Amino acid sequence: MKKVIEILQEELSAAFEKAGYDKKYAKVGVSNRPDLCQYQCNGALAAAKEYHKAPIQMANEVVEFLKDSESFKEIAAQAPGFINMSVSDRFLADYINKMAASETLGLDKAENPETIVIDYGGANVAKPLHVGHLRSAVIGESIKRTARYLGHKVIGDVHLGDWGLQIGLIITELKHRKPELVYFDESFEGEYPTEPPFTMSDLEEIYPYASGYSKEHPEYKEEAQTATAELQSGRKGYLALWQHIINVSVADLKKIYTKLNVEFDLWKKESDAQPYIPQMVQDMKDGGYAHIDQGALVVDVKEETDTKEIPPCMILKSNGATLYNTTDLATIVERRRLFDPDEIIYVVDKRQSLYFEQVFRCARKTKIIGEDVKLEFVGFGTMNGKDGKPFKTRDGGVLRLEKLLEDVNEQVLDKMKDRDMDKDMIDDAAAKISLAAIKYGDLSNQASKDYIFDVDRFTSFEGNTGPYILYTIVRTKSLLAKVKAQNITVDEKSAIEPADSKSETDVMLALTKWSETVNAAFEEHAPHKICQFVYELSDTFNKFYHENKIVTNENEKQRESYIKLSALVGKVLETAIDLLGLEAPERM
Ligand code: ARG
């Protein structure tokens, strides 16, 4: 289904041509002066150069051909050469009715669906999931859902960090604490126990301890590095411990991601790319792309047009060890082999942007990936506390994500304690509301910007917040429940009538932005555009709701039309929040 702007543009194109001007000037946009008009075309100003005429004269000529069009309520040329337009109520209502009748609410699915891998989440095994990982999970999930909704084939991969020093640190600390464990006995030949020698809470204590200790004790750090290298070269006991670490961590991560309403199609790990490394390195050498620099194997990635220094991409350290880059490059090889994607999107902290620039350049230069495959880095900013510094616990520690969820849930439960609802219902609603508070608070900001995590603001039921959006959806639901309870008949076939108030027109105009919003959010990897849309729609709907009688309206035709419009608003909002990874409760 065409977007309103496209329909208007077609009409204007025809008028420009009739007036003797090129239709390329008939560009229509949403007005930036909504007090004057809804849409606007500035083409006459641009055309003046080509036709050596006063723009206002040209605008007047074009408008002359459109004055009788049924699409417009108002169309006028405005000095120095704008064409201002507002669509007719009939036009708008027709559009809204088509939207209501369409399964995708008027949105066209992608004509050429692409295969897209999204690398997000990025948790590390053995380390508790902390707030720093929240943004990747929340933003990536929304990008994934949006792409999928448009019909693309999307593969979401958590890409767990399981191959680095953190494992060596845990092995080392365990060895100090429990040297008697069979995993450390190199002569052991039997089967290792199936039960892990630690729980997740043990790991959560061991890792920070070992990490802190290693910073002050170089010999301990060296031990951990050796353990990491031994693991990576296949020491059996360590591999068995590592497998336990992964199992325990993954079970815990799945639990938390489920709570966050974040789902991965793949639970691949950095280590899964290891088998691809030897051949990749060989190809880099054979192709003459890599050279030895101070013992290390590197690929130069700087380009003449660089304005800042882009260091070479290191593939192997002088001791032959692989690095984070090596794994990422090998993962590209793996993804290409397994999925042949058209695009790979990485949702990672923007502080890794230089790193990804190096990796992408290296992948292209060494022909690991062709020019036809898009590599996109979606870098996100930091989640700060009210003091403007990275979000921390009160005592300055790193806040566990699970704890954050609990705290916000407490706060929401507190707000709802006087509700006349069953406990189960309150619990369910509170879980959905707190998730909306957290995720919407994050997603409503442009991803690349830092933002302030303000629990009081985010959990508010008013203003541009997740709970406010859910509240609006619940309002549409209870309105429909009343219709049902009171046996008010709504004729299936009857249509939504042209608007009879400004507030109703505003709701309809907000609704028409649905398909352009989803497309823009996808193309620009910008979930905040969906947030802007749901907020505008909620806000206009609530105004309409307050100014008009809906269920109690005595005018039957109007009542039916208003109910249908409200139902459509609810449906569009629910579809939109699903793209944000949110759900609305039945009541709140
Ligand atoms: N595990 C990494 C971290 O915590 C993020 C992984 C991002 N993805 C990637 N392909 N490098 O920083």
Side-chain angles (χ1 to χ4, degrees):
M1 187 171 146
K2 280 182 195 142
K3 300 177 183 116
V4 171
I5 289 200
E6 288 167 346
I7 302 172
L8 298 182
Q9 200 147 302
E10 280 175 9
E11 283 208 35
L12 260 81
S13 297
F16 266 77
E17 285 191 326
K18 277 190 203 151
Y21 306 122
D22 196 317
K23 65 176 184 203
K24 71 174 183 224
Y25 293 112
K27 270 232 150 350
V28 176
V30 173
S31 155
N32 47 20
R33 285 288 306 274
D35 51 324
L36 294 181
C37 57
Q38 297 159 351
Y39 300 93
Q40 138 192 7
C41 167
N42 305 339
L45 294 162
K49 262 207 210 98
E50 183 177 337
Y51 298 101
H52 308 288
K53 269 196 190 171
I56 185 70
Q57 187 192 340
M58 297 164 70
N60 269 315
E61 288 165 24
V62 171
V63 166
E64 206 44 47
F65 287 104
L66 294 166
K67 273 216 315 252
D68 298 326
S69 160
E70 307 218 315
S71 304
F72 301 104
K73 185 190 249 173
E74 273 171 78
I75 177 158
Q78 168 93 37
F82 302 113
I83 299 173
N84 291 350
M85 298 158 262
S86 290
V87 294
S88 68
D89 297 327
R90 169 55 63 196
F91 174 95
L92 197 53
D94 284 349
Y95 190 88
I96 295 298
N97 281 307
K98 279 195 204 125
M99 229 180 124
S102 140
E103 205 176 304
T104 56
L105 302 160
L107 177 116
D108 292 332
K109 299 262 174 182
E111 262 171 49
N112 303 305
E114 296 191 333
T115 300
I116 304 171
V117 174
I118 306 187
D119 180 316
Y120 71 111
N124 300 306
V125 303
K127 299 190 198 175
L129 206 56
H130 61 81
V131 297
H133 288 109
L134 177 68
R135 299 211 70 191
S136 178
V138 169
I139 298 167
E141 181 70 16
S142 176
I143 294 177
K144 182 190 78 180
R145 288 173 180 233
T146 306
R148 198 167 276 167
Y149 186 72
L150 280 165
H152 297 289
K153 180 177 171 213
V154 193
I155 302 143
D157 180 9
V158 66
H159 196 71
L160 287 182
D162 70 331
W163 205 230
L165 184 63
Q166 84 261 33
I167 309 289
L169 283 164
I170 290 180
I171 293 177
T172 303
E173 185 52 28
L174 269 178
K175 197 171 176 179
H176 283 243
R177 293 187 190 184
K178 296 184 182 171
E180 71 284 1
L181 289 177
V182 314
Y183 305 93
F184 303 115
D185 175 1
E186 282 193 84
S187 62
F188 181 74
E189 292 285 342
E191 294 264 320
Y192 291 106
T194 46
E195 277 303 301
F198 41 68
T199 62
M200 191 60 210
S201 17
D202 295 335
L203 287 181
E204 280 170 5
E205 179 268 320
I206 295 174
Y207 173 74
Y209 174 81
S211 164
Y213 194 81
S214 74
K215 288 194 181 106
E216 261 129 58
H217 300 83
E219 70 293 343
Y220 183 92
K221 183 162 184 187
E222 223 167 273
E223 224 182 303
Q225 278 163 338
T226 309
T228 311
E230 283 181 314
L231 164 78
Q232 296 184 348
S233 47
R235 181 166 161 173
K236 265 179 24 212
Y238 289 6
L239 283 173
L241 270 178
W242 169 68
Q243 199 54 58
H244 282 311
I245 296 175
I246 293 178
N247 294 346
V248 169
S249 295
V250 167
D252 186 63
L253 287 169
K254 284 196 170 157
K255 220 173 63 200
I256 305 177
Y257 280 128
T258 304
K259 272 195 198 151
L260 279 174
N261 211 0
V262 167
E263 280 166 274
F264 298 97
D265 306 294
L266 288 180
W267 280 80
K268 286 258 181 200
K269 310 179 283 324
E270 288 179 4
S271 61
D272 290 320
Q274 299 308 307
Y276 296 89
I277 292 179
Q279 187 62 47
M280 177 182 86
V281 169
Q282 194 56 46
D283 291 346
M284 286 179 177
K285 287 183 184 161
D286 293 349
Y289 304 118
H291 65 271
I292 305 287
D293 185 2
Q294 296 172 17
L297 187 73
V298 303
V299 174
D300 283 329
V301 293
K302 61 171 189 277
E303 285 166 12
E304 260 169 37
T305 48
D306 288 344
T307 50
K308 61 174 192 266
E309 174 82 18
I310 309 278
C313 197
M314 197 189 284
I315 308 298
L316 295 176
K317 285 201 220 171
S318 50
N319 66 0
T322 60
L323 301 95
Y324 184 45
N325 315 331
T326 327
T327 300
D328 260 320
L329 288 161
T331 304
I332 297 179
V333 175
E334 182 191 20
R335 288 178 176 156
R336 219 185 107 183
R337 199 91 39 99
L338 300 182
F339 310 113
D340 190 20
D342 298 293
E343 183 171 8
I344 307 177
I345 301 173
Y346 296 81
V347 187
V348 186
D349 192 314
K350 73 176 175 200
R351 284 170 292 190
Q352 292 190 30
S353 75
L354 172 65
Y355 165 78
F356 275 99
E357 180 66 40
Q358 289 174 293
V359 169
F360 292 173
R361 284 187 185 189
C362 183
R364 298 235 189 261
K365 184 171 175 183
T366 60
K367 308 258 188 304
I368 283 178
I369 204 132
E371 292 299 329
D372 53 328
V373 182
K374 277 183 273 177
L375 295 173
E376 284 279 342
F377 174 70
V378 178
F380 53 80
T382 308
M383 170 173 152
N384 288 323
K386 278 194 194 164
D387 56 0
K389 300 204 185 97
F391 198 87
K392 290 265 156 72
T393 55
R394 241 167 255 164
D395 56 15
V398 179
L399 184 60
R400 293 199 46 200
L401 198 48
E402 224 175 351
K403 177 82 174 72
L404 177 86
L405 288 175
E406 275 164 25
D407 290 352
V408 176
N409 201 49
E410 283 293 304
Q411 199 146 332
V412 173
L413 275 173
D414 193 53
K415 275 184 202 245
M416 297 185 66
K417 61 178 184 291
D418 300 328
R419 294 282 198 284
D420 174 28
M421 285 160 67
D422 292 348
K423 185 176 175 309
D424 283 356
M425 230 181 167
I426 293 197
D427 287 347
D428 174 70
K432 287 173 174 152
I433 296 166
S434 40
L435 206 54
I438 296 173
K439 291 174 100 175
Y440 189 92
D442 187 313
L443 292 169
S444 54
N445 299 284
Q446 204 178 318
S448 61
K449 298 227 167 91
D450 297 348
Y451 76 97
I452 293 186
F453 191 89
D454 181 343
V455 189
D456 298 326
R457 190 167 79 74
F458 290 0
T459 53
S460 166
F461 284 30
E462 274 148 53
N464 188 6
T465 69
Y468 174 70
I469 308 298
L470 299 193
Y471 192 78
T472 311
I473 295 175
V474 169
R475 171 166 276 167
T476 63
K477 288 190 189 193
S478 61
L479 187 151
L480 294 176
K482 258 187 224 148
V483 170
K484 209 168 162 200
Q486 296 173 19
N487 282 324
I488 299 173
T489 47
V490 180
D491 181 4
E492 278 286 314
K493 285 189 287 300
S494 76
I496 295 171
E497 294 290 312
D500 42 31
S501 65
K502 160 110 175 40
S503 64
E504 192 182 3
T505 304
D506 288 343
V507 173
M508 292 191 183
L509 282 173
L511 277 169
T512 63
K513 294 180 189 159
W514 167 243
S515 81
E516 66 207 51
T517 299
V518 179
N519 279 297
F522 167 68
E523 274 153 31
E524 298 162 38
H525 310 121
H528 74 278
K529 300 218 155 166
I530 298 177
C531 294
Q532 279 167 0
F533 169 83
V534 291
Y535 179 59
E536 188 188 336
L537 184 55
S538 300
D539 214 32
T540 53
F541 175 73
N542 285 318
K543 272 206 193 84
F544 166 73
Y545 180 89
H546 286 302
E547 285 177 14
N548 293 284
K549 281 190 183 168
I550 301 180
V551 184
T552 53
N553 199 318
E554 292 90 17
N555 176 335
E556 198 177 312
K557 204 162 178 185
Q558 204 170 44
R559 181 176 64 220
E560 211 165 81
S561 174
Y562 284 1
I563 291 171
K564 288 205 152 172
L565 182 65
S566 307
L568 179 62
V569 168
K571 191 165 162 195
V572 172
L573 283 177
E574 276 212 284
T575 311
I577 64 160
D578 183 54
L579 302 185
L580 299 173
L582 305 179
E583 276 174 274
E586 284 311 306
R587 286 180 58 194
M588 66 188 267

